[in-house]
């Protein structure tokens, strides 16, 4: 069965505790586990980060680590959650927190659309969410929903599976496009220019952008050439 996996980056994930922790410690968070119990309206998350001094928990004393079930060393962190230390080594700590299931959080926005989150990472305050979806339209709806609530949402990587266990990952750097080229492509996409049948013709998109039809065609051709070059690995 064919499906897609995408990595979506959200630069401003609205106070996500894990993203806040990565930003405060200036350290990546690659190990994140999440247990969502929607019926109970709660989410429990654990993440491991380079924090030898326990600064996130506010202890500053790794040797005072207590029983994970009764550790009193907690600190409010994003979305008004309390971090609890559950494990520690000389260089890393694992923290746990519980919060309400909320459509104001990135993962819940994704899953509310019916697409499961397969993995999470945090870098410099941004959240990297890997999502599984049956088709590109579902992914497009997910990105649109995230854009409606958060800042700096971008599709970083898209992988298609042919059902045989193989995949063909493609990483497209949108910095290849100029600001104007990106605006042209985004407007054309939003207006349905690439749909079949078309939701808008070239003249209508050009009018919405306040440019001539020839200028629209020039920008679009340049952008498509750059994007196809990246996808086809010229």
């Amino acid at each position: 069965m064919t499906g897609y996996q995408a990595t979506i980056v959200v630069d401003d994930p609205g106070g996500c505790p894990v993203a806040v922790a990565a930003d405060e410690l200036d350290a990546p968070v690659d190990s994140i586990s999440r247990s969502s119990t929607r019926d109970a309206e709660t989410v429990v998350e654990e993440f491991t980060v380079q924090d030898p001094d326990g600064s996130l928990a506010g202890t500053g004393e790794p040797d005072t680590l207590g029983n994970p079930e009764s550790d009193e060393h907690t600190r409010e962190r994003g979305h008004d959650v309390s971090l609890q230390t559950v494990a520690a080594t000389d260089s890393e700590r694992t923290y746990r927190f519980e919060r309400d299931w909320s459509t104001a959080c990135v993962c819940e926005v994704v899953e509310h659309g019916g697409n499961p989150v397969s993995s999470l990472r945090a870098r410099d305050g941004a959240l990297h969410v890997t999502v599984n979806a049956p088709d590109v339209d579902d992914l497009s709806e997910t990105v649109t929903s995230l854009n409606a609530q958060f800042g700096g949402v971008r599709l970083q990587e898209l992988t298609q599976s042919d059902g045989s266990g193989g995949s063909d990952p493609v990483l497209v750097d949108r910095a290849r496009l100029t600001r104007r080229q990106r605006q042209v492509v985004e407007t054309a996409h939003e207006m349905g220019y690439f749909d079949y049948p078309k939701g808008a013709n070239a003249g209508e998109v050009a009018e919405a952008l306040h440019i001539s039809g020839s200028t629209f065609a020039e920008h679009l051709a340049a952008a498509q050439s750059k994007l196809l070059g990246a996808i086809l690995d010229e």
Side-chain angles (χ1 to χ4, degrees), residues 41 43 79 99-109 149:
E41 298 184 343
V43 177
H79 284 310
R99 61 176 173 78
D100 292 337
W101 198 98
S102 168
T103 53
C105 296
V106 171
C107 293
E108 278 81 299
V109 169
Q149 294 198 43

Side-chain angles (χ1 to χ4, degrees), residues 35 52 65 114 132:
S35 174
L65 180 67
N132 294 321

Side-chain angles (χ1 to χ4, degrees), residues 44-60:
V44 178
E45 293 190 36
E46 290 187 3
F47 65 95
T48 301
V49 65
Q50 296 174 16
D51 186 16
D53 298 327
S55 58
L56 281 183
T59 67

Side-chain angles (χ1 to χ4, degrees), residues 191-222:
M191 294 182 67
Y193 176 80
F194 301 108
D195 295 346
Y196 182 80
K198 287 183 181 293
N201 59 39
E204 291 169 331
V205 178
E207 183 178 355
L209 289 164
H210 305 292
I211 58 177
S212 68
S214 60
T215 300
F216 166 73
E218 180 182 344
H219 284 309
L220 184 62

Side-chain angles (χ1 to χ4, degrees), residues 124-143:
D124 301 320
L127 197 63
H128 298 236
V129 188
T130 301
V131 184
N132 294 321
D135 53 53
V136 173
D137 286 342
D138 266 28
L139 286 174
S140 179
E141 290 177 7
T142 294
V143 173

Side-chain angles (χ1 to χ4, degrees), residues 143-219:
V143 173
T144 299
S145 297
L146 289 170
N147 262 316
Q149 294 198 43
F150 305 100
V153 178
R154 62 187 189 277
L155 183 64
Q156 184 182 64
E157 184 175 343
L158 178 63
T159 302
Q160 181 178 13
S161 171
D162 60 7
S164 64
S167 64
D168 186 15
V170 177
L171 180 63
V172 178
D173 183 2
R174 295 196 304 179
R176 283 172 172 257
L177 305 182
T178 66
R179 182 188 62 81
R180 191 57 163 164
Q181 288 168 354
R182 180 170 166 178
Q183 183 184 31
V184 166
V185 172
E186 288 179 345
T187 302
H189 174 69
E190 290 170 358
M191 294 182 67
Y193 176 80
F194 301 108
D195 295 346
Y196 182 80
K198 287 183 181 293
N201 59 39
E204 291 169 331
V205 178
E207 183 178 355
L209 289 164
H210 305 292
I211 58 177
S212 68
S214 60
T215 300
F216 166 73
E218 180 182 344
H219 284 309

